[in-house]
């Protein structure tokens, strides 16, 4: 379990209103740009801290961050070092666990998501929204391949997982402390925050922005990692693939039954058929289908066990707000 005391304090500030969590994996060439960009917008933000989460970088990311030790800035900088590379989503979890602010913003280190949008997010939060999602207005800076695969992925998620899954939303978001508290209490081993943030509910709002190109360095999400990420997302939010197994079993069974009926009909009508062939095929098809149905049924139970093991709370609620005292009876 990590706590805020596990962080290296580069400059102290007791209770910042906002924590900016920035996961970094080999991002040495982006650190000074990050600090520069936040200096530019510091005046538009409430008191804040930047919490760098070093996800086991092998380059000079840590040295770059530590070079700010003793520097005077309008904001606090903290560094949390993970013991090895755990991956982007777990780096975000570690950051949220160590967040001190009343709200927490997560943003990538490569400045593809512009920090200049954060003041708008803060405004939405102050209006009472607990979740403010950064939504990419256009993705023309992304490759055709990335845009197409992303579009397919969002459709699949909407159909199979959640109808309210927002398209073109990444991990650039602001969440209030109460949402942070829910997220960090979840025992999920492979959290997919974009889905979980939708699942938690609460009042949510969007801020649209233009996604820029990576400031420097290379993407840490090559194709295979992206596919794994998508599969994680789907399976941690949908049991529908298991239902497809059951349905496909039924379809195969029905084929088997049709084969068999046609065979019997032709036989009774006196057609000369190759002996044993159709009956064998139809029986194999029918039994094969039945086995697939059985697997699907077992899968349904495993799906329920999985849901139980995920250990998400059954229900989340706001604390009671409206209190109307009843009349005292004497
Ligand atoms: N990242 C991380 N650990 C990893 C991979 C990525 O902390 O194992 C961070 C990375 O440094 C960046 C963010 O996650 O701040 C998003 O990565 P990237 O920009 O490479 O993803 P893309 O924008 O290409 O999808
Ligand atoms: Mg990026």
């Amino acid at each position: 379990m990590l706590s805020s005391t596990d962080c290296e304090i580069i400059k102290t500030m007791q209770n910042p209103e906002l924590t900016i969590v920035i996961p970094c994996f080999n991002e040495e060439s982006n650190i000074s740009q990050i600090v520069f960009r936040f200096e530019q917008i510091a005046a538009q933000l409430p008191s804040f801290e930047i919490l760098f989460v070093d996800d086991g970088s092998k380059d000079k990311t840590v040295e770059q961050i530590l070079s700010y030790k003793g520097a005077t800035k309008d904001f606090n900088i903290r560094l949390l070092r993970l013991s090895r590379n755990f991956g982007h989503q777990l780096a975000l979890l570690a950051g949220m666990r160590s967040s001190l602010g009343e709200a927490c913003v997560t943003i990538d280190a490569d400045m593809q998501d512009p920090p200049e949008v954060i003041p708008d997010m803060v405004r939405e939060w102050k209006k009472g929204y607990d979740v403010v999602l950064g939504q990419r207005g256009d993705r023309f800076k992304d490759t055709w391949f990335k845009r197409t695969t992303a579009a397919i992925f969002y459709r699949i998620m909407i159909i199979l997982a959640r109808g309210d899954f927002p398209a073109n939303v990444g991990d650039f978001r602001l969440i209030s402390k109460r949402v942070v508290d829910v997220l960090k209490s979840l025992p999920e081993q492979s959290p997919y925050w974009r889905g979980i943030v939708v699942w938690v509910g609460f009042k949510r709002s969007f801020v649209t922005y233009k996604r820029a190109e990576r400031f420097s360095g290379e993407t840490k999400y090559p194709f295979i990692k992206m596919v794994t990420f998508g599969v994680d997302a789907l399976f941690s939010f949908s049991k529908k693939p298991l239902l497809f197994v059951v349905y496909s079993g039924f379809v195969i069974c029905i084929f088997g039954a049709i084969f068999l009926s046609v065979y019997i009909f032709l036989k009774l009508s006196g057609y000369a058929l190759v002996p044993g062939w159709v009956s064998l095929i139809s029986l194999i098809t029918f039994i094969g289908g039945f086995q697939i149905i059985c697997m699907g049924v077992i899968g349904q139970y495993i799906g329920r066990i999985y849901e139980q093991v995920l250990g998400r709370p059954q229900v989340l609620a706001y604390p009671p707000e409206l209190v109307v005292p009843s009349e005292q009876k004497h």
Side-chain angles (χ1 to χ4, degrees):
M1 187 77 176
L2 293 160
S3 73
S4 56
T5 50
D6 296 322
C7 302
E8 283 187 50
I9 310 258
I10 297 183
K11 185 167 174 272
T12 41
M13 177 197 288
Q14 268 323 297
N15 293 315
E17 213 176 328
L18 200 63
T19 296
I20 316 277
V21 170
I22 311 186
C24 303
F25 179 50
N26 297 340
E27 302 284 6
E28 59 179 8
S29 51
N30 288 316
I31 303 299
S32 57
Q33 171 72 5
I34 296 171
V35 175
F36 170 73
R37 296 278 285 276
F38 276 94
E39 276 170 342
Q40 303 301 304
I41 55 164
Q44 302 167 46
L45 290 175
S47 64
F48 71 98
E49 59 169 357
I50 295 182
L51 175 56
F52 287 107
V53 182
D54 173 54
D55 188 15
S57 297
K58 297 264 187 305
D59 65 357
K60 297 225 164 7
T61 301
V62 167
E63 285 85 338
Q64 280 290 321
I65 298 168
L66 287 175
S67 72
Y68 288 96
K69 213 164 188 164
T72 318
K73 299 259 174 266
D74 295 333
F75 46 89
N76 205 8
I77 301 177
R78 281 195 294 149
L79 166 64
L80 177 69
R81 278 197 246 185
L82 305 191
S83 58
R84 62 167 170 84
N85 178 247
F86 283 89
H88 181 198
Q89 300 293 292
L90 290 175
L92 289 176
L93 172 64
M96 287 191 286
R97 280 185 183 164
S98 298
S99 153
L100 296 175
E102 288 305 307
C104 175
V105 172
T106 50
I107 182 168
D108 291 352
D110 57 4
M111 299 285 98
Q112 280 198 279
D113 307 322
E116 292 72 21
V117 174
I118 299 175
D120 293 336
M121 289 181 161
V122 171
R123 263 189 289 281
E124 292 297 291
W125 168 51
K126 298 257 162 152
K127 279 188 210 160
Y129 291 100
D130 283 282
V131 176
V132 186
L133 303 175
Q135 191 162 41
R136 298 156 195 176
D138 71 59
R139 302 184 60 130
F140 292 111
K141 288 275 158 59
D142 283 335
T143 59
W144 173 88
F145 181 73
K146 190 145 188 171
R147 278 195 317 242
T148 314
T149 46
I152 295 171
F153 171 72
Y154 291 126
R155 276 263 43 95
I156 293 177
M157 282 302 278
I158 288 169
I159 295 169
L160 292 185
R162 300 191 61 92
D164 54 355
F165 191 81
N168 295 326
V169 167
D171 282 302
F172 181 31
R173 69 180 86 88
L174 177 149
I175 49 178
S176 68
K177 191 168 186 305
R178 63 175 156 201
V179 176
V180 173
D181 289 342
V182 174
L183 300 198
K184 64 188 194 187
S185 73
L186 300 175
E188 231 148 307
Q189 289 298 304
S190 312
Y192 176 68
W193 298 120
R194 298 173 195 184
I196 294 172
V197 159
V198 177
W199 169 84
V200 290
F202 290 104
K203 274 177 77 178
R204 83 174 177 191
S205 171
F206 293 88
V207 168
T208 46
Y209 67 97
K210 277 201 177 126
R211 194 154 206 245
E213 273 174 89
R214 202 170 222 287
F215 176 71
S216 168
E218 280 177 6
T219 177
K220 310 297 178 307
Y221 273 101
F223 182 66
I224 295 290
K225 223 168 148 185
M226 227 170 70
V227 172
T228 317
F229 190 48
V231 170
D232 257 0
L234 182 64
F235 289 139
S236 61
F237 280 94
S238 179
K239 286 193 297 183
K240 283 191 188 149
L242 287 173
L243 267 184
F244 284 134
V245 175
V246 179
Y247 293 150
S248 57
F250 270 116
V251 171
I252 293 170
C253 251
I254 290 168
F255 266 117
I258 293 172
F259 256 135
L260 202 64
S261 333
V262 172
Y263 169 74
I264 292 169
F265 174 76
L266 293 177
K267 187 101 191 159
L268 293 179
S269 316
Y271 278 91
L273 299 166
V274 183
W277 187 82
V278 180
S279 56
L280 204 66
I281 289 291
S282 49
L283 218 63
I284 290 173
T285 315
F286 188 79
I287 292 174
F290 183 67
Q291 280 173 337
I292 294 174
I293 295 175
C294 291
M295 275 188 339
V297 170
I298 295 170
Q300 286 296 320
Y301 285 106
I302 295 176
R304 280 167 172 74
I305 296 170
Y306 175 63
E307 213 168 49
Q308 189 81 29
V309 171
L310 276 180
R312 292 178 191 151
Q314 296 92 329
V315 64
L316 294 169
Y318 291 95
E321 280 164 17
L322 188 64
V323 181
V324 181
S326 59
E327 264 179 46
Q328 295 284 320
K329 294 209 171 93
H330 298 287

